[in-house]
Amino acid sequence: MLAVPEMDLQGLYIGSSPQRSPVPSPPASPRTQESCGIAPLTPSQSPKPEARGPQQAPFSVVVAIDFGTTSSGYAFSFASDPEAIHMMRKWEGGDPGVAHQKTPTCLLLTPEGAFHSFGYTARDYYHDLDPEEARDWLYFEKFKMKIHSTTDLTLKTQLEAVNRKKMPALEVFAHALRFFKEHALQELSEQCPSLLEKDTVRWVLTVPAIWKQPAKQFMREAAYLAGLVSRENAEQLLIALEPEAASVYCRKLRLHQLVDLSSRAPGRGCLGERRSIDSSFRQAREQLRRSRHSRTFLVESGVGELWADLQAGDRYVVADCGGGTVDLTVHQLEQPHGTLKELYKASGGPCGAVGVDLAFEQLLGRIFGEDFITTFKRQRPAAWVDLTIAFEARKRTAGPHRTGALNISLPFSFIDFYRKQGGHNVETALRKSSVNFVKWSSHGMLRMTCEAMNELFQPTVSGIIQHIEALLERPEVQGVKLLFLVGGFAESAMLQHAVQAALGARGLRVVVPHDVALTILKGAVLFGQAPGVVRVRRSPLTYGVGVLNRFVAGVHPPDKLLVRDGRRWCTDVFERFVAAEQSVALGEEVRRSYCPARPGQRRVLINLYCCAAEDARFITDPGVRKCGALSLELEPAEGGPDAAGAPPGRREIRAAMQFGDTEIKVTAIDVSTNRSVRAAIDFLSN
């Protein structure tokens, strides 16, 4: 059966293979009118995918940037001692009682749009601005979620500052990444003056595993704009998936660095009040030490790593609970090198700590009126930031066994603004509202009962548990007995208690690293040093192209019939490159060979389609959508026939796509000259 990518059938050159061979849709087709004509040479069924190990560049240091929704930071390690992870310096400013190894993801730009500051400095400076002056400054916070929630993300997507002014999202992210680049390079130059050349640094950016390809490409484009790396040295930047990074780090932890929530003593639920799981592993560890078949993960000191208690093939879940999302991944430990295999595609959703913040804002709307809250945020943006800071401090102290109320200070400008807008004071508003579990303190504070705080946490925490429970029902995850709870939100005693209560009854062991908020950052450094540690991943979607097959009556729908030059074709056929949930090894390639349809053609553009289903037949099926384009930039062809004897201008271009990495990658060569062809996949042009 013959197949051709849907494009121009004029001047088509078909290979001699008796199998299906890919031409891209006729120009008249509105779906693919931007495509350029090509003719495929290889059969639709690719040869057995070839796995190639990643080529390691000589980087002297790896710098990882954990760009979070609520807080961000960086860490690094040198190639000479890759597991000695150096955390960034303590940040200036900060909140009492909060570790400052990360800084708030807050960006402040001047009224002209120039960079002013980032993190605590940006937050505190903006807070101290005169209310009237603050209206003109551009203050961005928690803006990472915009990339996840935008369905039509492009390079022109806009972000809205607190004062409602808009700016290109790409520039906002680039400002933030440039800040981290300069901060990290300055620290590196002071610690190791010989590392002044930028090309000695490998950069790693973390993103949620549930992010789709456009969002990952967006972060890469922002890194290019920020000057982290150049397009010519794209391999100098790695995109790390957050729960994967956490998994890579957790497999290196020793027993005394972990806490088993099932062994938690009754109390307020702070990490320091739980006993270590070291004792629960000691017996198994001693048995392994005495066994002649002891694991390679035991160290000479006799203090085993966590994996000394696991057998090759054991499975576990990582639940990354961050500010914006909950991100779940399931890994299987492989021997003998401790590589990781993903068992089910990444899952999760927008159930992060910001959901609690949103619930607090809605609570204020119920008390003071939604219109007032909207007006206050617009006209007193700095005061609103001050209020959210006060709530964040109290949110961190909330616990399931707390009995005392929590007091939240209202800014004076809030109290004064409400009196002027509403005609009465905030105490009267609280008395008249239907919210019974929030009172007014004589000290000028909102007094929230434990029931009030529980109500704020409940929707987000329940959403996280529902995502985990849905994952555990999958057949691929059966037999999992261990769950790592990581991420900034995993510090919350409210979340820890709820997860343990819901999942402990299922026999699932819930474990929390001591440095839970830094797990992803440290794991990203380790991933940058050894990106091949995750050997197999699952494709989250089905990817392919639209092709023309020979029409078979009774098999193909009549409305797909296309007759051209006396030949009967079935149009819109979805030719699959990789299926959703398919296991794909790192370096495994899907190959297709194409030939320009016209002599002198300089560019080939092939539309890519994706869907969640594994069995889609046509690119017009429900759920199938155009998601990107594969472009091949061709150099002028040399005169005369090529090495294969093809007519002048008919060159075979062999493209190799990799779906087993954190990003979909493509390379291509001109077979006749064996030269590389500039190839790229664009997911942001839709």
Side-chain angles (χ1 to χ4, degrees):
M1 180 179 291
L2 190 65
V4 292
E6 293 196 334
M7 290 188 187
D8 188 358
L9 293 178
Q10 294 290 334
L12 175 64
Y13 177 72
I14 302 294
S16 59
S17 170
Q19 305 292 327
R20 317 187 291 157
S21 301
V23 182
S25 259
S29 171
R31 291 185 303 274
T32 55
Q33 60 185 357
E34 66 265 61
S35 298
C36 300
I38 62 169
L41 295 176
T42 54
S44 174
Q45 298 298 325
S46 293
K48 184 177 180 180
E50 177 181 334
R52 297 192 309 176
Q55 296 181 351
Q56 301 297 326
F59 300 111
S60 301
V61 62
V62 168
V63 179
I65 300 174
D66 182 11
F67 196 95
T69 300
T70 56
S71 60
S72 301
Y74 72 88
F76 58 91
S77 74
F78 296 97
S80 57
D81 192 4
E83 295 189 6
I85 300 174
H86 304 262
M87 301 303 299
M88 58 283 176
R89 294 171 178 166
K90 298 292 180 69
W91 300 96
E92 294 181 3
D95 303 321
V98 179
H100 301 157
Q101 288 184 310
K102 281 190 175 183
T103 192
T105 308
C106 304
L107 173 69
L108 182 62
L109 305 180
T110 67
E112 296 75 31
F115 177 83
H116 180 272
S117 52
F118 186 89
Y120 286 115
T121 305
R123 192 195 69 179
D124 295 343
Y125 188 92
Y126 185 66
H127 167 263
D128 293 338
L129 285 173
D130 178 81
E132 294 299 323
E133 186 181 4
R135 294 185 188 182
D136 297 326
W137 287 68
L138 288 85
Y139 182 79
F140 298 89
E141 62 176 358
K142 302 172 184 175
F143 50 88
K144 179 182 174 183
M145 279 296 290
K146 177 74 172 181
I147 304 304
H148 176 73
S149 60
T150 301
T151 56
D152 56 347
L153 181 66
T154 70
L155 295 177
K156 297 181 180 180
T157 295
Q158 299 276 306
L159 280 182
E160 190 176 86
V162 172
N163 62 0
R164 301 293 182 90
K165 292 184 179 180
K166 293 185 177 181
M167 187 172 185
L170 193 69
E171 294 184 22
V172 173
F173 278 82
H175 277 305
L177 293 178
R178 191 177 299 112
F179 166 81
F180 280 111
K181 181 199 73 170
E182 294 173 354
H183 205 287
L185 291 180
Q186 175 65 28
E187 184 170 352
L188 284 172
S189 67
E190 294 174 4
Q191 288 202 24
C192 188
S194 62
L195 291 174
L196 296 179
E197 296 294 329
K198 291 192 300 180
D199 57 4
T200 63
V201 179
R202 162 171 272 171
W203 297 90
V204 181
L205 281 181
T206 65
V207 303
I210 59 174
W211 271 17
K212 295 180 173 58
Q213 295 299 325
K216 297 176 185 178
Q217 182 184 340
F218 182 92
M219 291 300 291
R220 179 169 284 277
E221 293 291 340
Y224 291 152
L225 184 60
L228 261 71
V229 302
S230 64
R231 295 182 189 276
E232 293 71 25
N233 296 303
E235 72 284 351
Q236 200 176 336
L237 171 67
L238 294 179
I239 299 295
L241 308 183
E242 290 166 357
E244 277 192 4
S247 179
V248 170
Y249 177 68
C250 286
R251 61 191 279 282
K252 290 289 185 180
L253 289 180
R254 313 219 174 179
L255 303 178
H256 66 278
Q257 297 171 299
L258 298 161
V259 172
D260 189 347
L261 296 187
S262 63
S263 66
R264 179 174 56 188
R268 294 177 59 184
C270 296
L271 279 172
E273 296 177 357
R274 296 190 210 99
R275 35 189 196 90
S276 169
I277 67 170
D278 186 86
S279 59
S280 66
F281 276 113
R282 187 173 294 118
Q283 183 178 0
R285 188 180 66 211
E286 290 300 322
Q287 291 174 348
L288 284 168
R289 289 181 62 193
R290 290 193 297 266
S291 170
R292 61 181 178 179
H293 301 295
S294 60
R295 309 294 169 258
T296 57
F297 296 101
L298 291 174
V299 296
E300 293 181 357
S301 64
V303 181
E305 297 178 352
L306 172 67
W307 303 119
D309 192 57
L310 298 176
Q311 303 294 326
D314 279 354
R315 307 169 173 195
Y316 61 93
V317 175
V318 175
D320 169 25
C321 304
T325 59
V326 57
D327 226 6
L328 308 175
T329 194
V330 189
H331 279 162
Q332 182 175 44
L333 181 68
E334 298 182 316
Q335 297 285 31
H337 303 297
T339 53
L340 301 172
K341 177 181 179 180
E342 188 176 44
L343 298 179
Y344 183 67
K345 65 181 181 180
S347 60
C351 298
V354 294
V356 183
D357 303 336
L358 180 60
F360 176 65
E361 181 179 338
Q362 293 170 343
L363 176 65
L364 294 178
R366 289 165 57 189
I367 297 172
F368 302 105
E370 294 180 2
D371 291 342
F372 168 76
I373 297 301
T374 301
T375 303
F376 180 74
K377 289 172 63 178
R378 183 176 64 252
Q379 297 192 20
R380 297 290 187 271
W384 174 255
V385 171
D386 190 22
L387 178 55
T388 60
I389 294 171
F391 174 71
E392 178 67 25
R394 307 316 296 162
K395 182 177 74 173
R396 289 176 177 270
T397 65
H401 305 292
R402 186 185 181 101
T403 56
L406 289 169
N407 293 325
I408 300 175
S409 177
L410 285 179
F412 172 77
S413 58
F414 184 98
I415 299 172
D416 183 63
F417 196 74
Y418 184 76
R419 182 179 56 80
K420 293 178 180 178
Q421 294 286 317
H424 51 269
N425 58 35
V426 295
E427 184 177 3
T428 302
L430 280 164
R431 198 164 49 241
K432 290 184 176 181
S433 76
S434 59
V435 180
N436 299 321
F437 42 68
V438 179
K439 305 297 181 182
W440 180 247
S441 165
S442 59
H443 300 288
M445 297 183 179
L446 289 180
R447 190 170 180 81
M448 300 186 65
T449 65
C450 297
E451 292 79 11
M453 193 60 77
N454 285 334
E455 183 174 293
L456 297 184
F457 273 83
Q458 195 276 332
T460 298
V461 170
S462 295
I464 291 173
I465 293 173
Q466 288 172 11
H467 279 294
I468 297 175
E469 289 180 333
L471 175 64
L472 295 175
E473 294 298 325
R474 297 291 308 182
E476 300 91 339
V477 190
Q478 297 306 303
V480 169
K481 298 297 182 183
L482 183 66
L483 181 142
F484 286 99
L485 197 63
V486 303
F489 194 28
E491 289 182 308
S492 167
M494 298 281 278
L495 177 62
Q496 293 173 8
H497 179 268
V499 170
Q500 172 59 32
L503 303 178
R506 303 176 63 128
L508 192 67
R509 193 175 191 179
V510 183
V511 179
V512 182
H514 281 171
D515 53 354
V516 59
L518 301 175
T519 301
I520 294 164
L521 179 55
K522 293 181 177 180
V525 176
L526 297 176
F527 176 78
Q529 295 284 5
V533 64
V534 182
R535 192 185 63 84
V536 178
R537 293 183 175 87
R538 294 283 185 128
S539 176
L541 296 170
T542 298
Y543 290 95
V545 295
V547 301
L548 302 175
N549 279 354
R550 281 190 174 170
F551 187 85
V552 179
V555 175
H556 296 136
D559 62 339
K560 297 296 183 183
L561 175 62
L562 173 68
V563 180
R564 181 67 63 88
D565 297 330
R567 293 187 177 185
R568 292 161 57 88
W569 301 94
C570 179
T571 188
D572 294 333
V573 175
F574 185 43
E575 185 192 46
R576 189 176 67 191
F577 289 162
V578 64
E581 301 183 25
Q582 177 181 333
S583 290
V584 188
L586 184 65
E588 190 173 305
E589 295 181 343
V590 176
R591 296 180 179 179
R592 293 292 187 274
S593 290
Y594 302 104
C595 178
R598 298 182 301 274
Q601 187 172 323
R602 299 295 300 274
R603 189 183 189 209
V604 172
L605 188 67
I606 308 167
N607 290 331
L608 294 181
Y609 297 85
C610 70
C611 63
E614 301 176 40
D615 55 354
R617 296 181 61 199
F618 302 99
I619 61 175
T620 54
D621 284 355
V624 180
R625 59 183 176 85
K626 178 177 177 286
C627 62
L630 167 63
S631 65
L632 305 172
E633 304 290 340
L634 309 181
E635 295 294 331
E638 299 178 2
D642 62 21
R650 298 300 186 183
R651 297 176 293 164
E652 179 185 352
I653 308 299
R654 183 177 299 160
M657 288 162 283
Q658 296 185 29
F659 295 89
D661 213 327
T662 58
E663 300 172 274
I664 297 177
K665 299 179 179 180
V666 61
T667 57
I669 62 169
D670 187 330
V671 175
S672 62
T673 63
N674 204 33
R675 293 178 182 173
S676 296
V677 173
R678 183 176 297 177
I681 300 180
D682 184 6
F683 293 100
L684 290 171
S685 62
N686 292 322

